[in-house]
Amino acid sequence: MRLAISRFPKDDEFLDSSVDVTSVGVDVLADLVGIAPADLVGDVPLTEEHAERVRQLTGITLDLEKYAYFLDPGAD
């Protein structure tokens, strides 16, 4: 399974960027959002609750005032 963090401007519905974070690990990212790895389907919103851990794991700083972020699981 490929995992990405996708970013959308809050005032737009089009994808602004997507960063592959598969190397962090499916189990780690599923645990971050509180979903079993087998149930990780569809975009999962990332919130302020997730922001610091996302930064620690990926180096990505979430600007939640300007953007909506999602953990985006996809097939290999």
Side-chain angles (χ1 to χ4, degrees):
M1 174 186 296
R2 185 188 76 78
L3 290 168
I5 293 180
S6 298
R7 180 175 85 173
F8 295 82
K10 286 206 172 185
D11 60 352
D12 201 345
E13 62 187 53
F14 296 102
L15 178 67
D16 181 68
S17 70
S18 183
V19 177
D20 189 317
V21 292
T22 305
S23 64
V24 173
V26 174
D27 291 339
V28 172
L29 292 167
D31 185 58
L32 169 73
V33 295
I35 298 173
D39 296 333
L40 195 57
V41 293
D43 294 344
V44 179
L46 296 173
T47 66
E48 188 66 41
E49 175 184 322
H50 305 118
E52 179 58 23
R53 189 71 178 133
V54 167
R55 188 192 62 73
Q56 292 170 349
L57 292 169
T58 68
I60 297 170
T61 299
L62 304 185
D63 182 354
L64 294 166
E65 298 218 3
K66 294 182 181 180
Y67 301 96
Y69 295 86
F70 297 89
L71 182 61
D72 182 10
D76 285 330

